[in-house]
Amino acid sequence: MTAYPSITAQLDDPDAAREEGRRKMEWARQHMPILEALREEFEANQPFAGQRIAMAMHVEAKTANLVELLADGGAEVAITGCNPLSTHDDVSAALDAHDSIASYAVRGVDDDEYYEAIEAVIDVDPTVTVDDGMDLVAAVHEDYPELIDTILGGAEETTTGVHRLRAMDADGALEYPVFAVNDTPMKRLFDNVHGTGESSLASIAMTTNLSWAGKNVVVAGYGYCGKGVAKKASGQNANVVVTEVEPRRALEAHMEGYDVMPMGDAAEIGDVFVTTTGNRDVVVDEHFERMKDGVLLANAGHFDIEIDLDALDDKAVDRYEARDGVEAYEMADGRRLNVLAEGRLVNLAAPIALGHPVEVMDQSFGIQAVVVRELVENADDYGPGVHDVPDELDKEVAEIKLAAEGVDFDSLTDTQEEYMGSWQHGT
Protein backbone atom coordinates (compact mmCIF):
# COMPACT_ATOMS: atom_id res chain seq x y z
CA MET A 1 0.00 0.00 0.00
CA THR A 2 0.96 3.69 -0.19
CA ALA A 3 2.22 6.27 2.27
CA TYR A 4 0.54 9.08 0.32
CA PRO A 5 -0.12 12.00 2.72
CA SER A 6 -3.52 13.43 3.49
CA ILE A 7 -4.44 16.96 2.38
CA THR A 8 -3.44 18.48 5.72
CA ALA A 9 0.20 17.54 5.21
CA GLN A 10 0.22 19.12 1.75
CA LEU A 11 -1.06 22.62 2.59
CA ASP A 12 0.98 25.60 3.73
CA ASP A 13 -1.78 26.91 6.01
CA PRO A 14 -4.18 24.05 6.78
CA ASP A 15 -5.93 25.93 9.60
CA ALA A 16 -7.03 28.77 7.31
CA ALA A 17 -8.06 26.27 4.66
CA ARG A 18 -10.16 24.30 7.16
CA GLU A 19 -11.95 27.44 8.27
CA GLU A 20 -12.84 28.45 4.71
CA GLY A 21 -13.83 24.91 3.80
CA ARG A 22 -16.10 24.67 6.83
CA ARG A 23 -17.75 27.96 5.83
CA LYS A 24 -18.55 26.54 2.38
CA MET A 25 -19.89 23.33 3.88
CA GLU A 26 -22.16 25.17 6.30
CA TRP A 27 -23.66 27.26 3.50
CA ALA A 28 -24.43 24.13 1.48
CA ARG A 29 -25.78 22.35 4.55
CA GLN A 30 -28.42 25.07 5.05
CA HIS A 31 -29.92 24.06 1.69
CA MET A 32 -29.70 20.26 2.00
CA PRO A 33 -32.82 19.23 3.93
CA ILE A 34 -32.63 15.59 2.81
CA LEU A 35 -29.18 15.10 4.28
CA GLU A 36 -30.28 16.96 7.42
CA ALA A 37 -33.20 14.59 7.91
CA LEU A 38 -30.94 11.60 7.39
CA ARG A 39 -28.31 13.09 9.70
CA GLU A 40 -30.81 13.11 12.56
CA GLU A 41 -31.58 9.43 11.90
CA PHE A 42 -27.97 8.35 11.43
CA GLU A 43 -26.61 10.17 14.47
CA ALA A 44 -29.27 8.54 16.64
CA ASN A 45 -29.01 5.01 15.22
CA GLN A 46 -25.32 4.82 14.18
CA PRO A 47 -26.07 2.46 11.25
CA PHE A 48 -22.47 2.52 10.01
CA ALA A 49 -20.71 1.70 13.25
CA GLY A 50 -17.73 -0.51 12.47
CA GLN A 51 -17.93 0.15 8.71
CA ARG A 52 -15.02 1.50 6.66
CA ILE A 53 -16.15 3.50 3.63
CA ALA A 54 -13.78 4.29 0.76
CA MET A 55 -14.89 7.12 -1.54
CA ALA A 56 -13.64 8.63 -4.83
CA MET A 57 -15.79 11.66 -5.66
CA HIS A 58 -15.68 15.35 -6.52
CA VAL A 59 -14.54 16.80 -3.20
CA GLU A 60 -16.38 20.08 -2.74
CA ALA A 61 -18.86 21.46 -0.22
CA LYS A 62 -21.91 19.43 -1.18
CA THR A 63 -20.04 16.15 -1.34
CA ALA A 64 -18.40 16.99 1.97
CA ASN A 65 -21.76 17.05 3.71
CA LEU A 66 -22.45 13.50 2.48
CA VAL A 67 -19.02 12.36 3.67
CA GLU A 68 -19.53 13.92 7.08
CA LEU A 69 -23.02 12.43 7.31
CA LEU A 70 -21.61 8.92 6.84
CA ALA A 71 -18.89 9.56 9.41
CA ASP A 72 -21.38 10.97 11.91
CA GLY A 73 -23.40 7.80 11.37
CA GLY A 74 -20.51 5.77 12.74
CA ALA A 75 -18.29 5.04 9.74
CA GLU A 76 -14.58 5.48 9.27
CA VAL A 77 -14.29 7.27 5.91
CA ALA A 78 -11.39 7.78 3.52
CA ILE A 79 -11.94 9.93 0.44
CA THR A 80 -10.07 11.22 -2.58
CA GLY A 81 -11.02 13.04 -5.75
CA CYS A 82 -12.41 11.42 -8.91
CA ASN A 83 -11.08 14.21 -11.13
CA PRO A 84 -7.68 15.95 -10.84
CA LEU A 85 -9.22 19.42 -11.14
CA SER A 86 -12.51 19.22 -9.21
CA THR A 87 -11.23 19.21 -5.63
CA HIS A 88 -11.63 22.27 -3.42
CA ASP A 89 -8.55 22.05 -1.20
CA ASP A 90 -10.14 24.03 1.62
CA VAL A 91 -13.12 21.67 1.76
CA SER A 92 -10.81 18.67 1.63
CA ALA A 93 -8.89 20.11 4.58
CA ALA A 94 -12.10 20.66 6.55
CA LEU A 95 -13.02 17.01 6.02
CA ASP A 96 -9.57 15.84 7.05
CA ALA A 97 -10.02 17.59 10.39
CA HIS A 98 -12.91 15.26 11.30
CA ASP A 99 -11.83 12.50 13.67
CA SER A 100 -13.37 9.78 11.49
CA ILE A 101 -12.40 11.11 8.04
CA ALA A 102 -9.13 11.04 6.11
CA SER A 103 -9.10 13.12 2.93
CA TYR A 104 -6.43 12.62 0.28
CA ALA A 105 -8.07 14.85 -2.33
CA VAL A 106 -5.83 17.62 -3.69
CA ARG A 107 -6.53 19.84 -6.68
CA GLY A 108 -4.16 19.71 -9.64
CA VAL A 109 -2.49 16.34 -9.05
CA ASP A 110 -0.77 14.51 -11.88
CA ASP A 111 -1.74 11.00 -12.97
CA ASP A 112 0.68 9.26 -10.60
CA GLU A 113 -0.50 11.27 -7.60
CA TYR A 114 -4.13 10.71 -8.56
CA TYR A 115 -3.74 6.93 -8.39
CA GLU A 116 -1.55 7.08 -5.30
CA ALA A 117 -4.43 8.84 -3.57
CA ILE A 118 -6.81 6.10 -4.75
CA GLU A 119 -4.46 3.57 -3.17
CA ALA A 120 -4.37 5.56 0.06
CA VAL A 121 -8.16 5.41 0.24
CA ILE A 122 -8.14 1.65 -0.39
CA ASP A 123 -5.68 1.35 2.49
CA VAL A 124 -8.65 1.75 4.86
CA ASP A 125 -9.61 -1.86 3.93
CA PRO A 126 -13.11 -0.80 2.91
CA THR A 127 -16.33 -2.59 3.65
CA VAL A 128 -18.21 -0.20 1.31
CA THR A 129 -17.07 1.78 -1.75
CA VAL A 130 -18.70 4.95 -3.08
CA ASP A 131 -17.54 5.97 -6.54
CA ASP A 132 -17.97 8.61 -9.24
CA GLY A 133 -16.57 7.15 -12.44
CA MET A 134 -15.65 3.65 -11.18
CA ASP A 135 -11.92 4.27 -10.73
CA LEU A 136 -12.09 3.02 -7.15
CA VAL A 137 -13.93 -0.21 -8.03
CA ALA A 138 -11.51 -0.82 -10.88
CA ALA A 139 -8.47 -0.32 -8.64
CA VAL A 140 -9.83 -2.73 -6.02
CA HIS A 141 -10.48 -5.44 -8.59
CA GLU A 142 -7.26 -4.97 -10.52
CA ASP A 143 -4.77 -4.35 -7.75
CA TYR A 144 -6.28 -5.47 -4.44
CA PRO A 145 -8.59 -8.41 -5.16
CA GLU A 146 -7.82 -9.84 -1.72
CA LEU A 147 -10.05 -7.11 -0.24
CA ILE A 148 -13.15 -8.10 -2.20
CA ASP A 149 -14.37 -10.75 0.23
CA THR A 150 -14.78 -8.17 3.00
CA ILE A 151 -16.55 -5.55 0.85
CA LEU A 152 -20.32 -5.55 1.35
CA GLY A 153 -20.93 -3.56 -1.81
CA GLY A 154 -20.67 -0.19 -3.48
CA ALA A 155 -22.54 2.72 -5.00
CA GLU A 156 -21.82 4.48 -8.30
CA GLU A 157 -22.81 8.10 -8.81
CA THR A 158 -22.45 8.88 -12.49
CA THR A 159 -23.43 7.73 -15.98
CA THR A 160 -19.91 6.90 -17.13
CA GLY A 161 -19.24 4.83 -14.04
CA VAL A 162 -22.45 2.85 -14.47
CA HIS A 163 -21.61 2.18 -18.12
CA ARG A 164 -18.18 0.88 -17.12
CA LEU A 165 -19.66 -1.22 -14.33
CA ARG A 166 -22.26 -2.80 -16.60
CA ALA A 167 -19.53 -3.68 -19.09
CA MET A 168 -17.50 -5.18 -16.24
CA ASP A 169 -20.56 -7.08 -15.03
CA ALA A 170 -21.28 -8.41 -18.53
CA ASP A 171 -17.73 -9.78 -18.64
CA GLY A 172 -18.29 -11.52 -15.30
CA ALA A 173 -15.54 -9.44 -13.73
CA LEU A 174 -17.52 -7.49 -11.10
CA GLU A 175 -17.20 -9.46 -7.89
CA TYR A 176 -19.33 -7.51 -5.44
CA PRO A 177 -22.72 -5.75 -5.64
CA VAL A 178 -22.80 -2.12 -6.75
CA PHE A 179 -25.91 0.06 -6.85
CA ALA A 180 -26.38 2.14 -10.01
CA VAL A 181 -27.30 5.35 -8.18
CA ASN A 182 -27.07 7.28 -11.46
CA ASP A 183 -29.94 5.29 -12.98
CA THR A 184 -32.52 5.88 -10.27
CA PRO A 185 -35.20 8.54 -10.97
CA MET A 186 -34.27 10.82 -8.05
CA LYS A 187 -30.78 11.12 -9.51
CA ARG A 188 -31.30 10.92 -13.25
CA LEU A 189 -34.34 13.19 -13.56
CA PHE A 190 -32.87 16.00 -11.48
CA ASP A 191 -29.10 15.75 -11.18
CA ASN A 192 -28.44 14.81 -14.80
CA VAL A 193 -31.02 17.15 -16.34
CA HIS A 194 -31.17 20.20 -14.10
CA GLY A 195 -27.81 19.82 -12.38
CA THR A 196 -25.67 19.24 -15.46
CA GLY A 197 -27.67 21.68 -17.56
CA GLU A 198 -27.55 24.59 -15.12
CA SER A 199 -24.03 24.10 -13.78
CA SER A 200 -22.38 23.53 -17.15
CA LEU A 201 -23.92 26.59 -18.77
CA ALA A 202 -23.27 28.75 -15.72
CA SER A 203 -19.62 27.67 -15.57
CA ILE A 204 -19.10 28.35 -19.28
CA ALA A 205 -20.75 31.77 -19.04
CA MET A 206 -18.79 32.82 -15.94
CA THR A 207 -15.50 31.50 -17.34
CA THR A 208 -15.87 33.30 -20.67
CA ASN A 209 -18.09 36.30 -19.74
CA LEU A 210 -20.05 35.61 -22.93
CA SER A 211 -23.79 35.48 -23.55
CA TRP A 212 -25.80 32.49 -24.76
CA ALA A 213 -28.36 34.55 -26.66
CA GLY A 214 -28.24 34.01 -30.39
CA LYS A 215 -25.35 31.53 -30.30
CA ASN A 216 -25.40 28.17 -32.04
CA VAL A 217 -24.84 25.69 -29.22
CA VAL A 218 -23.96 22.17 -30.33
CA VAL A 219 -24.85 19.55 -27.72
CA ALA A 220 -23.19 16.20 -28.34
CA GLY A 221 -25.40 13.44 -26.96
CA TYR A 222 -29.08 13.57 -26.04
CA GLY A 223 -29.15 11.43 -22.93
CA TYR A 224 -30.37 12.95 -19.69
CA CYS A 225 -27.35 15.25 -19.38
CA GLY A 226 -27.61 16.35 -23.00
CA LYS A 227 -31.32 17.02 -22.56
CA GLY A 228 -30.53 19.26 -19.63
CA VAL A 229 -27.86 21.24 -21.46
CA ALA A 230 -30.09 21.62 -24.54
CA LYS A 231 -33.12 22.67 -22.47
CA LYS A 232 -31.21 25.25 -20.42
CA ALA A 233 -29.36 26.66 -23.45
CA SER A 234 -32.61 27.02 -25.34
CA GLY A 235 -34.08 28.77 -22.31
CA GLN A 236 -31.30 31.36 -22.55
CA ASN A 237 -32.17 32.05 -26.19
CA ALA A 238 -29.47 29.99 -27.85
CA ASN A 239 -30.04 28.07 -31.07
CA VAL A 240 -29.51 24.43 -30.12
CA VAL A 241 -28.10 21.76 -32.40
CA VAL A 242 -28.00 18.15 -31.19
CA THR A 243 -25.70 15.42 -32.47
CA GLU A 244 -26.53 11.80 -31.66
CA VAL A 245 -25.60 8.23 -32.59
CA GLU A 246 -28.76 6.58 -31.22
CA PRO A 247 -31.71 6.96 -33.64
CA ARG A 248 -34.47 7.18 -31.02
CA ARG A 249 -32.68 9.88 -29.09
CA ALA A 250 -32.00 11.74 -32.31
CA LEU A 251 -35.71 11.54 -33.14
CA GLU A 252 -36.63 12.69 -29.64
CA ALA A 253 -34.38 15.74 -30.00
CA HIS A 254 -35.94 16.47 -33.39
CA MET A 255 -39.45 16.22 -31.92
CA GLU A 256 -38.41 18.60 -29.14
CA GLY A 257 -37.69 21.19 -31.82
CA TYR A 258 -33.90 21.06 -31.96
CA ASP A 259 -31.86 20.85 -35.14
CA VAL A 260 -30.30 17.38 -35.41
CA MET A 261 -27.32 16.70 -37.64
CA PRO A 262 -23.98 14.87 -37.72
CA MET A 263 -21.08 16.48 -35.89
CA GLY A 264 -19.32 17.02 -39.21
CA ASP A 265 -22.11 19.38 -40.28
CA ALA A 266 -22.56 20.96 -36.85
CA ALA A 267 -18.84 21.75 -36.74
CA GLU A 268 -19.30 24.31 -39.50
CA ILE A 269 -22.00 26.35 -37.72
CA GLY A 270 -21.41 25.90 -33.99
CA ASP A 271 -20.28 28.70 -31.71
CA VAL A 272 -20.16 26.56 -28.56
CA PHE A 273 -19.71 22.79 -28.39
CA VAL A 274 -20.69 20.91 -25.22
CA THR A 275 -20.06 17.16 -25.10
CA THR A 276 -22.26 15.08 -22.80
CA THR A 277 -21.75 11.53 -24.07
CA GLY A 278 -19.38 9.85 -21.63
CA ASN A 279 -17.66 8.40 -24.70
CA ARG A 280 -14.37 9.24 -26.38
CA ASP A 281 -13.46 10.99 -29.66
CA VAL A 282 -16.71 12.92 -30.01
CA VAL A 283 -15.03 16.05 -31.40
CA VAL A 284 -11.99 15.10 -33.46
CA ASP A 285 -9.50 16.26 -36.07
CA GLU A 286 -11.90 16.41 -39.01
CA HIS A 287 -14.26 18.60 -36.98
CA PHE A 288 -11.53 21.04 -35.97
CA GLU A 289 -10.83 21.63 -39.66
CA ARG A 290 -14.36 22.96 -40.18
CA MET A 291 -14.83 25.12 -37.09
CA LYS A 292 -15.14 28.88 -37.03
CA ASP A 293 -12.68 31.21 -35.37
CA GLY A 294 -13.40 31.72 -31.68
CA VAL A 295 -15.47 28.63 -30.95
CA LEU A 296 -15.71 27.34 -27.38
CA LEU A 297 -15.10 23.64 -26.69
CA ALA A 298 -16.37 22.27 -23.37
CA ASN A 299 -16.90 18.81 -21.91
CA ALA A 300 -19.81 18.07 -19.59
CA GLY A 301 -19.58 14.28 -19.94
CA HIS A 302 -16.89 12.72 -17.78
CA PHE A 303 -13.27 11.99 -18.69
CA ASP A 304 -11.16 14.40 -20.76
CA ILE A 305 -11.29 12.25 -23.89
CA GLU A 306 -14.53 13.47 -25.49
CA ILE A 307 -12.60 16.24 -27.26
CA ASP A 308 -9.44 14.92 -28.97
CA LEU A 309 -6.98 17.33 -27.39
CA ASP A 310 -3.93 15.50 -28.72
CA ALA A 311 -5.14 15.98 -32.29
CA LEU A 312 -5.98 19.61 -31.57
CA ASP A 313 -2.54 20.21 -30.10
CA ASP A 314 -0.92 18.64 -33.16
CA LYS A 315 -2.85 20.98 -35.47
CA ALA A 316 -2.10 24.11 -33.48
CA VAL A 317 0.79 26.42 -34.40
CA ASP A 318 0.41 28.23 -31.09
CA ARG A 319 -1.27 27.53 -27.77
CA TYR A 320 -1.80 30.04 -24.99
CA GLU A 321 -4.02 30.94 -22.06
CA ALA A 322 -6.60 33.32 -23.50
CA ARG A 323 -8.38 33.73 -20.17
CA ASP A 324 -8.30 32.00 -16.81
CA GLY A 325 -9.67 28.54 -17.56
CA VAL A 326 -9.61 29.04 -21.35
CA GLU A 327 -6.79 27.75 -23.53
CA ALA A 328 -6.62 28.98 -27.11
CA TYR A 329 -5.32 26.68 -29.84
CA GLU A 330 -4.33 28.79 -32.85
CA MET A 331 -4.52 27.09 -36.24
CA ALA A 332 -2.19 27.77 -39.16
CA ASP A 333 -4.91 29.87 -40.86
CA GLY A 334 -5.31 32.08 -37.78
CA ARG A 335 -8.48 30.50 -36.36
CA ARG A 336 -8.55 30.12 -32.57
CA LEU A 337 -10.35 27.17 -30.99
CA ASN A 338 -10.83 27.69 -27.28
CA VAL A 339 -10.84 24.75 -24.85
CA LEU A 340 -12.37 25.25 -21.42
CA ALA A 341 -11.09 23.58 -18.23
CA GLU A 342 -8.47 21.53 -20.08
CA GLY A 343 -11.26 19.45 -21.60
CA ARG A 344 -12.28 18.12 -18.19
CA LEU A 345 -15.73 18.48 -16.65
CA VAL A 346 -16.42 22.15 -17.20
CA ASN A 347 -18.91 22.45 -14.35
CA LEU A 348 -16.35 21.15 -11.86
CA ALA A 349 -12.88 21.75 -13.30
CA ALA A 350 -13.15 25.36 -14.53
CA PRO A 351 -11.39 27.74 -12.12
CA ILE A 352 -14.62 29.23 -10.77
CA ALA A 353 -16.82 26.15 -11.20
CA LEU A 354 -18.94 25.08 -8.23
CA GLY A 355 -20.59 21.95 -9.59
CA HIS A 356 -24.30 21.25 -9.53
CA PRO A 357 -26.69 23.41 -7.51
CA VAL A 358 -26.86 22.49 -3.83
CA GLU A 359 -30.53 21.47 -3.85
CA VAL A 360 -29.96 19.06 -6.73
CA MET A 361 -27.02 17.35 -5.08
CA ASP A 362 -28.97 17.03 -1.84
CA GLN A 363 -31.24 14.64 -3.73
CA SER A 364 -28.42 12.65 -5.33
CA PHE A 365 -26.46 12.37 -2.12
CA GLY A 366 -29.61 11.45 -0.24
CA ILE A 367 -29.81 8.40 -2.53
CA GLN A 368 -26.15 7.64 -1.90
CA ALA A 369 -26.71 7.75 1.85
CA VAL A 370 -29.73 5.43 1.91
CA VAL A 371 -28.01 3.03 -0.49
CA VAL A 372 -25.03 2.73 1.84
CA ARG A 373 -27.48 2.09 4.68
CA GLU A 374 -29.14 -0.62 2.57
CA LEU A 375 -25.81 -2.31 1.88
CA VAL A 376 -24.91 -2.37 5.55
CA GLU A 377 -28.32 -3.64 6.65
CA ASN A 378 -29.14 -6.08 3.83
CA ALA A 379 -25.92 -6.96 2.01
CA ASP A 380 -26.83 -10.65 1.89
CA ASP A 381 -29.79 -9.83 -0.36
CA TYR A 382 -27.50 -8.74 -3.20
CA GLY A 383 -25.09 -10.84 -5.20
CA PRO A 384 -22.14 -9.61 -7.26
CA GLY A 385 -23.12 -7.32 -10.15
CA VAL A 386 -24.87 -4.04 -10.90
CA HIS A 387 -28.15 -3.51 -9.04
CA ASP A 388 -30.92 -0.98 -9.45
CA VAL A 389 -31.65 1.11 -6.39
CA PRO A 390 -34.75 -0.33 -4.66
CA ASP A 391 -37.72 1.85 -5.60
CA GLU A 392 -38.82 2.29 -2.00
CA LEU A 393 -35.49 3.97 -1.22
CA ASP A 394 -35.89 6.38 -4.14
CA LYS A 395 -39.41 7.23 -2.95
CA GLU A 396 -38.17 7.70 0.61
CA VAL A 397 -35.78 10.42 -0.51
CA ALA A 398 -38.47 12.07 -2.68
CA GLU A 399 -40.87 12.15 0.26
CA ILE A 400 -38.26 13.77 2.52
CA LYS A 401 -37.68 16.46 -0.13
CA LEU A 402 -41.40 17.13 -0.64
CA ALA A 403 -41.93 17.43 3.10
CA ALA A 404 -39.04 19.88 3.37
CA GLU A 405 -40.56 21.95 0.55
CA GLY A 406 -43.98 21.94 2.21
CA VAL A 407 -45.50 20.07 -0.74
CA ASP A 408 -48.32 17.60 -0.08
CA PHE A 409 -49.41 15.01 -2.62
CA ASP A 410 -52.11 12.41 -3.14
CA SER A 411 -51.94 8.69 -2.44
CA LEU A 412 -53.88 5.80 -3.94
CA THR A 413 -56.99 4.58 -2.16
CA ASP A 414 -57.26 0.89 -1.26
CA THR A 415 -59.67 0.45 -4.17
CA GLN A 416 -57.24 2.08 -6.57
CA GLU A 417 -54.37 -0.06 -5.29
CA GLU A 418 -56.45 -3.19 -5.78
CA TYR A 419 -57.47 -2.12 -9.29
CA MET A 420 -53.94 -1.32 -10.38
CA GLY A 421 -52.68 -4.65 -9.11
CA SER A 422 -55.32 -6.80 -10.72
CA TRP A 423 -55.57 -8.29 -14.20
CA GLN A 424 -59.24 -9.19 -13.74
CA HIS A 425 -60.67 -5.69 -14.03
CA GLY A 426 -61.49 -4.73 -17.60
CA THR A 427 -62.97 -1.67 -19.24
Side-chain angles (χ1 to χ4, degrees), residues 16 35 56 105 113 122 142 160 185 226 283 307 309 312 325 343-344 418 427:
L35 292 196
E113 291 167 327
I122 295 172
E142 291 171 5
T160 296
V283 182
I307 302 166
L309 297 177
L312 184 57
R344 296 193 178 273
E418 192 267 337
T427 52

Side-chain angles (χ1 to χ4, degrees), residues 3-26:
Y4 191 76
S6 72
I7 178 74
T8 300
Q10 300 189 52
L11 296 178
D12 294 332
D13 190 351
D15 290 336
R18 289 189 201 104
E19 183 177 350
E20 178 61 17
R22 176 58 56 182
R23 187 170 72 99
K24 291 179 179 179
M25 289 171 63
E26 289 299 329

Side-chain angles (χ1 to χ4, degrees), residues 262-265 267-268 281-291 308 311-312 315 335:
M263 181 62 78
D265 295 336
E268 298 180 355
D281 301 332
V282 178
V283 182
V284 296
D285 185 83
E286 64 185 270
H287 305 137
F288 302 140
E289 289 280 358
R290 304 182 183 186
M291 289 180 177
D308 189 348
L312 184 57
K315 295 185 76 66
R335 290 177 301 123

Side-chain angles (χ1 to χ4, degrees), residues 309-380:
L309 297 177
D310 290 337
L312 184 57
D313 191 44
D314 289 343
K315 295 185 76 66
V317 296
D318 192 15
R319 175 177 165 183
Y320 57 92
E321 186 176 53
R323 184 178 171 88
D324 194 17
V326 181
E327 193 156 25
Y329 290 74
E330 186 172 334
M331 303 293 103
D333 58 8
R335 290 177 301 123
R336 292 152 297 180
L337 312 185
N338 300 292
V339 175
L340 276 62
E342 301 179 21
R344 296 193 178 273
L345 280 175
V346 70
N347 59 330
L348 283 157
I352 56 175
L354 297 173
H356 290 1
V358 176
E359 301 93 333
V360 169
M361 293 313 302
D362 186 36
Q363 297 179 184
S364 296
F365 290 153
I367 298 295
Q368 289 279 20
V370 298
V371 158
V372 174
R373 184 189 65 194
E374 176 71 7
L375 285 170
V376 171
E377 293 178 349
N378 300 302
D380 291 342

